[in-house]
Amino acid sequence: MLKFWKKKPVDAAPAPEATPVEDDVRASAADPASTDAATGLTEALAETAPAEPEVPELSGEFDASAAAEAAAEASQPARRSWRERLSGSGFAKSLSSLFVRHPKLDDDLLDELETALITADVGVEASTRLVEALRKRMHKREFADAQALLTALRAELVALLKPVERPLDVGTHTPFVILTVGINGVGKTTTIGKLARRYADEGRSVMLAAGDTFRAAAVEQLKTWGERNKVPVVSQGQDADSASVIFDALQAARSRGTHVLIADTAGRLHTQGGLMDELGKIARVMKKLDTAAPHEVLMVIDGTTGQNAISQLRQFRDTAGVTGLVVTKLDGTAKGGVMFALAREFALPIRYVGLGETATDLRVFDAEAFVDGLLPARLGG
């Protein structure tokens, strides 16, 4: 009994317990996704929650992704609404202030409305037609006050966007091949990473093809997204033939029964003929394996670009056969009116819009929610 009593103080004095900070350090060292987060993209950092040492490591591609998303949601506030995301845009500010300055229904209000729409990149022709239609209705005394005009304006803007509100269905082919195109700096590779997260969270197997072999960091950037989302990335390094990389990825996706293959391509200006021709080559090479591929040519457009987006899309549509759009960066300095100009000029489906940095801020396009984010339902609202 005496010996046992003497030993007890030694046993009862183990090494000091690890602090919560030390636990987090160990968890980060053991978790590759957390290690990537230290050096990954700004957008990826925004969506990744700190590692939780008490969460057991899950096996399986989709389980790991779901666990990461659950951890992120637990540490972040609820997903912000369209109104919260878009209220700071140039379009929303100019139109909201317009009705504050001119609460009275008259021609002066409509003249300033036309100016505001043109300034917000809606386009001269579209803005003029919209305002003149409202002016005729006002002269017929269809509007009792400025509130009635606001309600009519919202309805007209929704009507412009409704025809392009067509979500992308990736379940029609296996693998469903998405070829992403766009100029440099629009957020193309980041959008691919967010799409990969979305489809993986839906329970679909996803593969990425690092076809942007022109930009030095593009392959590593896509690999970072692949590791974070637990999806495989097919690559051959910088300066490899882009068509060859994507061909290999399509072969691998077919052999594995992958649901969705998303292929990156080099960012290029619409005036660069050689690089634009490469897009046609990529499509021809894929058709050797699947005559219907690519099933979607998704062009990523920077919402801050304004009217330049019109000429960009026209060239990419003619060269690459664009079938759908993703408009990014609408939550910042974007005026937002370019959405209406694109819808009217091309009538191409707007599949997704980027309303923030995290993966959950890549939203399926909703015309009514978008207009609601730009304009209040009531004056002073």
PDB file of all heavy atoms in Angstrom, residues 33 65 73 78 80 91 113 118 135 166 178 188 191 213 246 267-268 299 305 335 337 365 372 381:
ATOM      1  N   ALA A  33      -5.764  18.885 -46.165  1.00  0.00           N
ATOM      2  CA  ALA A  33      -6.625  19.972 -46.619  1.00  0.00           C
ATOM      3  C   ALA A  33      -6.327  21.242 -45.852  1.00  0.00           C
ATOM      4  O   ALA A  33      -6.332  22.337 -46.400  1.00  0.00           O
ATOM      5  CB  ALA A  33      -8.094  19.582 -46.472  1.00  0.00           C
ATOM      6  N   SER A  65     -15.871  15.600 -48.314  1.00  0.00           N
ATOM      7  CA  SER A  65     -16.365  16.897 -48.783  1.00  0.00           C
ATOM      8  C   SER A  65     -17.526  17.373 -47.921  1.00  0.00           C
ATOM      9  O   SER A  65     -17.599  18.541 -47.559  1.00  0.00           O
ATOM     10  CB  SER A  65     -16.799  16.784 -50.252  1.00  0.00           C
ATOM     11  OG  SER A  65     -17.311  17.996 -50.707  1.00  0.00           O
ATOM     12  N   GLU A  73     -19.857  25.487 -42.406  1.00  0.00           N
ATOM     13  CA  GLU A  73     -21.136  26.078 -42.053  1.00  0.00           C
ATOM     14  C   GLU A  73     -21.254  26.312 -40.557  1.00  0.00           C
ATOM     15  O   GLU A  73     -21.873  27.268 -40.105  1.00  0.00           O
ATOM     16  CB  GLU A  73     -22.277  25.191 -42.537  1.00  0.00           C
ATOM     17  CG  GLU A  73     -22.422  25.177 -44.055  1.00  0.00           C
ATOM     18  CD  GLU A  73     -23.556  24.276 -44.499  1.00  0.00           C
ATOM     19  OE1 GLU A  73     -24.143  23.618 -43.620  1.00  0.00           O
ATOM     20  OE2 GLU A  73     -23.837  24.228 -45.698  1.00  0.00           O
ATOM     21  N   ALA A  78     -24.911  32.304 -41.357  1.00  0.00           N
ATOM     22  CA  ALA A  78     -25.773  31.742 -42.390  1.00  0.00           C
ATOM     23  C   ALA A  78     -25.481  32.396 -43.738  1.00  0.00           C
ATOM     24  O   ALA A  78     -25.058  33.553 -43.810  1.00  0.00           O
ATOM     25  CB  ALA A  78     -27.239  31.957 -42.005  1.00  0.00           C
ATOM     26  N   ARG A  80     -25.523  34.432 -46.889  1.00  0.00           N
ATOM     27  CA  ARG A  80     -26.139  35.729 -47.092  1.00  0.00           C
ATOM     28  C   ARG A  80     -27.090  35.689 -48.278  1.00  0.00           C
ATOM     29  O   ARG A  80     -26.882  34.974 -49.243  1.00  0.00           O
ATOM     30  CB  ARG A  80     -25.059  36.784 -47.295  1.00  0.00           C
ATOM     31  CG  ARG A  80     -24.169  36.973 -46.077  1.00  0.00           C
ATOM     32  CD  ARG A  80     -22.989  37.864 -46.393  1.00  0.00           C
ATOM     33  NE  ARG A  80     -23.416  39.239 -46.651  1.00  0.00           N
ATOM     34  CZ  ARG A  80     -22.584  40.177 -47.093  1.00  0.00           C
ATOM     35  NH1 ARG A  80     -21.325  39.878 -47.331  1.00  0.00           N
ATOM     36  NH2 ARG A  80     -23.026  41.408 -47.297  1.00  0.00           N
ATOM     37  N   PHE A  91     -25.163  49.124 -59.725  1.00  0.00           N
ATOM     38  CA  PHE A  91     -26.527  49.159 -60.253  1.00  0.00           C
ATOM     39  C   PHE A  91     -27.527  49.387 -59.119  1.00  0.00           C
ATOM     40  O   PHE A  91     -28.404  50.259 -59.188  1.00  0.00           O
ATOM     41  CB  PHE A  91     -26.806  47.840 -60.967  1.00  0.00           C
ATOM     42  CG  PHE A  91     -28.028  47.860 -61.849  1.00  0.00           C
ATOM     43  CD1 PHE A  91     -28.788  48.997 -61.995  1.00  0.00           C
ATOM     44  CD2 PHE A  91     -28.406  46.731 -62.554  1.00  0.00           C
ATOM     45  CE1 PHE A  91     -29.914  49.021 -62.820  1.00  0.00           C
ATOM     46  CE2 PHE A  91     -29.518  46.729 -63.387  1.00  0.00           C
ATOM     47  CZ  PHE A  91     -30.275  47.882 -63.511  1.00  0.00           C
ATOM     48  N   LEU A 113     -33.874  57.720 -64.863  1.00  0.00           N
ATOM     49  CA  LEU A 113     -33.867  56.257 -64.876  1.00  0.00           C
ATOM     50  C   LEU A 113     -33.137  55.736 -66.114  1.00  0.00           C
ATOM     51  O   LEU A 113     -32.339  54.801 -66.028  1.00  0.00           O
ATOM     52  CB  LEU A 113     -35.301  55.728 -64.843  1.00  0.00           C
ATOM     53  CG  LEU A 113     -35.470  54.218 -65.002  1.00  0.00           C
ATOM     54  CD1 LEU A 113     -34.741  53.465 -63.902  1.00  0.00           C
ATOM     55  CD2 LEU A 113     -36.952  53.839 -65.025  1.00  0.00           C
ATOM     56  N   ILE A 118     -28.284  53.114 -68.506  1.00  0.00           N
ATOM     57  CA  ILE A 118     -27.170  53.149 -69.456  1.00  0.00           C
ATOM     58  C   ILE A 118     -25.838  53.138 -68.708  1.00  0.00           C
ATOM     59  O   ILE A 118     -24.904  52.404 -69.076  1.00  0.00           O
ATOM     60  CB  ILE A 118     -27.273  54.387 -70.368  1.00  0.00           C
ATOM     61  CG1 ILE A 118     -28.501  54.276 -71.269  1.00  0.00           C
ATOM     62  CG2 ILE A 118     -26.006  54.537 -71.217  1.00  0.00           C
ATOM     63  CD1 ILE A 118     -28.790  55.519 -72.081  1.00  0.00           C
ATOM     64  N   ARG A 135     -42.716  55.030 -70.074  1.00  0.00           N
ATOM     65  CA  ARG A 135     -43.218  56.384 -70.263  1.00  0.00           C
ATOM     66  C   ARG A 135     -44.629  56.363 -70.874  1.00  0.00           C
ATOM     67  O   ARG A 135     -45.516  57.126 -70.471  1.00  0.00           O
ATOM     68  CB  ARG A 135     -42.256  57.182 -71.140  1.00  0.00           C
ATOM     69  CG  ARG A 135     -42.520  58.702 -71.110  1.00  0.00           C
ATOM     70  CD  ARG A 135     -41.633  59.422 -72.121  1.00  0.00           C
ATOM     71  NE  ARG A 135     -40.242  59.141 -71.924  1.00  0.00           N
ATOM     72  CZ  ARG A 135     -39.435  59.798 -71.072  1.00  0.00           C
ATOM     73  NH1 ARG A 135     -39.946  60.757 -70.317  1.00  0.00           N
ATOM     74  NH2 ARG A 135     -38.163  59.489 -70.981  1.00  0.00           N
ATOM     75  N   ARG A 166     -31.951  29.278 -67.075  1.00  0.00           N
ATOM     76  CA  ARG A 166     -32.022  27.854 -67.408  1.00  0.00           C
ATOM     77  C   ARG A 166     -30.887  27.106 -66.732  1.00  0.00           C
ATOM     78  O   ARG A 166     -29.748  27.115 -67.213  1.00  0.00           O
ATOM     79  CB  ARG A 166     -31.958  27.664 -68.934  1.00  0.00           C
ATOM     80  CG  ARG A 166     -33.228  28.060 -69.652  1.00  0.00           C
ATOM     81  CD  ARG A 166     -33.079  27.912 -71.148  1.00  0.00           C
ATOM     82  NE  ARG A 166     -32.503  29.106 -71.770  1.00  0.00           N
ATOM     83  CZ  ARG A 166     -32.029  29.146 -73.014  1.00  0.00           C
ATOM     84  NH1 ARG A 166     -32.025  28.064 -73.750  1.00  0.00           N
ATOM     85  NH2 ARG A 166     -31.536  30.265 -73.505  1.00  0.00           N
ATOM     86  N   ILE A 178     -17.776  19.457 -69.249  1.00  0.00           N
ATOM     87  CA  ILE A 178     -17.908  20.921 -69.247  1.00  0.00           C
ATOM     88  C   ILE A 178     -16.565  21.510 -69.643  1.00  0.00           C
ATOM     89  O   ILE A 178     -15.550  21.292 -68.962  1.00  0.00           O
ATOM     90  CB  ILE A 178     -18.320  21.448 -67.861  1.00  0.00           C
ATOM     91  CG1 ILE A 178     -19.653  20.835 -67.423  1.00  0.00           C
ATOM     92  CG2 ILE A 178     -18.393  22.961 -67.869  1.00  0.00           C
ATOM     93  CD1 ILE A 178     -20.044  21.196 -66.001  1.00  0.00           C
ATOM     94  N   LYS A 188     -11.854  32.030 -63.767  1.00  0.00           N
ATOM     95  CA  LYS A 188     -12.237  30.775 -64.424  1.00  0.00           C
ATOM     96  C   LYS A 188     -11.846  29.549 -63.593  1.00  0.00           C
ATOM     97  O   LYS A 188     -12.674  28.667 -63.344  1.00  0.00           O
ATOM     98  CB  LYS A 188     -11.589  30.728 -65.809  1.00  0.00           C
ATOM     99  CG  LYS A 188     -11.919  29.504 -66.655  1.00  0.00           C
ATOM    100  CD  LYS A 188     -11.591  29.771 -68.114  1.00  0.00           C
ATOM    101  CE  LYS A 188     -10.217  30.357 -68.311  1.00  0.00           C
ATOM    102  NZ  LYS A 188      -9.126  29.440 -67.882  1.00  0.00           N
ATOM    103  N   THR A 191     -13.813  29.333 -60.426  1.00  0.00           N
ATOM    104  CA  THR A 191     -15.172  28.868 -60.710  1.00  0.00           C
ATOM    105  C   THR A 191     -15.206  27.358 -60.873  1.00  0.00           C
ATOM    106  O   THR A 191     -16.136  26.687 -60.404  1.00  0.00           O
ATOM    107  CB  THR A 191     -15.711  29.553 -61.981  1.00  0.00           C
ATOM    108  OG1 THR A 191     -15.787  30.968 -61.751  1.00  0.00           O
ATOM    109  CG2 THR A 191     -17.096  29.028 -62.347  1.00  0.00           C
ATOM    110  N   THR A 213      -2.414  25.053 -69.728  1.00  0.00           N
ATOM    111  CA  THR A 213      -0.978  24.774 -69.643  1.00  0.00           C
ATOM    112  C   THR A 213      -0.148  25.984 -70.042  1.00  0.00           C
ATOM    113  O   THR A 213       1.078  25.902 -70.121  1.00  0.00           O
ATOM    114  CB  THR A 213      -0.625  23.592 -70.556  1.00  0.00           C
ATOM    115  OG1 THR A 213      -1.014  23.908 -71.905  1.00  0.00           O
ATOM    116  CG2 THR A 213      -1.344  22.324 -70.119  1.00  0.00           C
ATOM    117  N   ILE A 246      -6.704  17.163 -72.031  1.00  0.00           N
ATOM    118  CA  ILE A 246      -8.147  16.984 -71.906  1.00  0.00           C
ATOM    119  C   ILE A 246      -8.592  15.655 -72.522  1.00  0.00           C
ATOM    120  O   ILE A 246      -9.512  14.996 -72.016  1.00  0.00           O
ATOM    121  CB  ILE A 246      -8.877  18.183 -72.541  1.00  0.00           C
ATOM    122  CG1 ILE A 246      -8.543  19.450 -71.745  1.00  0.00           C
ATOM    123  CG2 ILE A 246     -10.383  17.962 -72.573  1.00  0.00           C
ATOM    124  CD1 ILE A 246      -9.065  20.733 -72.360  1.00  0.00           C
ATOM    125  N   GLY A 267      -6.610  30.995 -70.293  1.00  0.00           N
ATOM    126  CA  GLY A 267      -7.278  32.277 -70.447  1.00  0.00           C
ATOM    127  C   GLY A 267      -6.670  33.003 -71.641  1.00  0.00           C
ATOM    128  O   GLY A 267      -5.456  32.955 -71.858  1.00  0.00           O
ATOM    129  N   ARG A 268      -7.496  33.622 -72.430  1.00  0.00           N
ATOM    130  CA  ARG A 268      -7.005  34.269 -73.646  1.00  0.00           C
ATOM    131  C   ARG A 268      -7.880  35.463 -73.980  1.00  0.00           C
ATOM    132  O   ARG A 268      -9.052  35.514 -73.633  1.00  0.00           O
ATOM    133  CB  ARG A 268      -7.013  33.280 -74.812  1.00  0.00           C
ATOM    134  CG  ARG A 268      -8.403  32.769 -75.163  1.00  0.00           C
ATOM    135  CD  ARG A 268      -8.323  31.420 -75.819  1.00  0.00           C
ATOM    136  NE  ARG A 268      -8.053  30.389 -74.839  1.00  0.00           N
ATOM    137  CZ  ARG A 268      -7.466  29.224 -75.119  1.00  0.00           C
ATOM    138  NH1 ARG A 268      -7.088  28.951 -76.329  1.00  0.00           N
ATOM    139  NH2 ARG A 268      -7.256  28.327 -74.175  1.00  0.00           N
ATOM    140  N   MET A 299     -18.745  29.726 -70.549  1.00  0.00           N
ATOM    141  CA  MET A 299     -17.879  30.899 -70.555  1.00  0.00           C
ATOM    142  C   MET A 299     -18.039  31.669 -69.254  1.00  0.00           C
ATOM    143  O   MET A 299     -19.148  31.983 -68.835  1.00  0.00           O
ATOM    144  CB  MET A 299     -18.202  31.819 -71.740  1.00  0.00           C
ATOM    145  CG  MET A 299     -17.282  33.028 -71.793  1.00  0.00           C
ATOM    146  SD  MET A 299     -17.487  34.015 -73.299  1.00  0.00           S
ATOM    147  CE  MET A 299     -16.358  35.376 -72.941  1.00  0.00           C
ATOM    148  N   THR A 305     -16.609  43.788 -66.011  1.00  0.00           N
ATOM    149  CA  THR A 305     -16.099  44.104 -67.348  1.00  0.00           C
ATOM    150  C   THR A 305     -16.962  45.114 -68.079  1.00  0.00           C
ATOM    151  O   THR A 305     -16.471  45.893 -68.899  1.00  0.00           O
ATOM    152  CB  THR A 305     -16.003  42.810 -68.193  1.00  0.00           C
ATOM    153  OG1 THR A 305     -15.187  41.873 -67.513  1.00  0.00           O
ATOM    154  CG2 THR A 305     -15.398  43.097 -69.548  1.00  0.00           C
ATOM    155  N   LYS A 335     -21.326  46.753 -61.904  1.00  0.00           N
ATOM    156  CA  LYS A 335     -22.539  47.542 -62.050  1.00  0.00           C
ATOM    157  C   LYS A 335     -23.762  46.646 -62.205  1.00  0.00           C
ATOM    158  O   LYS A 335     -24.869  47.041 -61.880  1.00  0.00           O
ATOM    159  CB  LYS A 335     -22.406  48.485 -63.251  1.00  0.00           C
ATOM    160  CG  LYS A 335     -21.286  49.513 -63.060  1.00  0.00           C
ATOM    161  CD  LYS A 335     -21.128  50.392 -64.285  1.00  0.00           C
ATOM    162  CE  LYS A 335     -19.994  51.378 -64.095  1.00  0.00           C
ATOM    163  NZ  LYS A 335     -19.790  52.235 -65.285  1.00  0.00           N
ATOM    164  N   GLY A 337     -25.565  45.698 -64.638  1.00  0.00           N
ATOM    165  CA  GLY A 337     -26.429  45.845 -65.798  1.00  0.00           C
ATOM    166  C   GLY A 337     -26.020  45.002 -66.978  1.00  0.00           C
ATOM    167  O   GLY A 337     -26.842  44.735 -67.867  1.00  0.00           O
ATOM    168  N   PHE A 365     -28.463  30.661 -61.216  1.00  0.00           N
ATOM    169  CA  PHE A 365     -29.054  31.956 -61.524  1.00  0.00           C
ATOM    170  C   PHE A 365     -30.564  31.930 -61.337  1.00  0.00           C
ATOM    171  O   PHE A 365     -31.254  31.031 -61.808  1.00  0.00           O
ATOM    172  CB  PHE A 365     -28.719  32.374 -62.947  1.00  0.00           C
ATOM    173  CG  PHE A 365     -29.313  33.705 -63.332  1.00  0.00           C
ATOM    174  CD1 PHE A 365     -28.982  34.847 -62.637  1.00  0.00           C
ATOM    175  CD2 PHE A 365     -30.227  33.799 -64.372  1.00  0.00           C
ATOM    176  CE1 PHE A 365     -29.543  36.080 -62.961  1.00  0.00           C
ATOM    177  CE2 PHE A 365     -30.789  35.018 -64.719  1.00  0.00           C
ATOM    178  CZ  PHE A 365     -30.442  36.165 -64.009  1.00  0.00           C
ATOM    179  N   ASP A 372     -34.517  41.296 -57.292  1.00  0.00           N
ATOM    180  CA  ASP A 372     -34.862  41.651 -55.926  1.00  0.00           C
ATOM    181  C   ASP A 372     -33.641  42.149 -55.169  1.00  0.00           C
ATOM    182  O   ASP A 372     -33.743  43.020 -54.299  1.00  0.00           O
ATOM    183  CB  ASP A 372     -35.475  40.445 -55.208  1.00  0.00           C
ATOM    184  CG  ASP A 372     -36.012  40.799 -53.842  1.00  0.00           C
ATOM    185  OD1 ASP A 372     -36.903  41.666 -53.771  1.00  0.00           O
ATOM    186  OD2 ASP A 372     -35.532  40.237 -52.837  1.00  0.00           O
ATOM    187  N   GLY A 381     -37.526  50.720 -48.841  1.00  0.00           N
ATOM    188  CA  GLY A 381     -37.314  49.385 -48.314  1.00  0.00           C
ATOM    189  C   GLY A 381     -35.876  48.969 -48.417  1.00  0.00           C
ATOM    190  O   GLY A 381     -35.095  49.572 -49.103  1.00  0.00           O
TER     191      GLY A 381
END
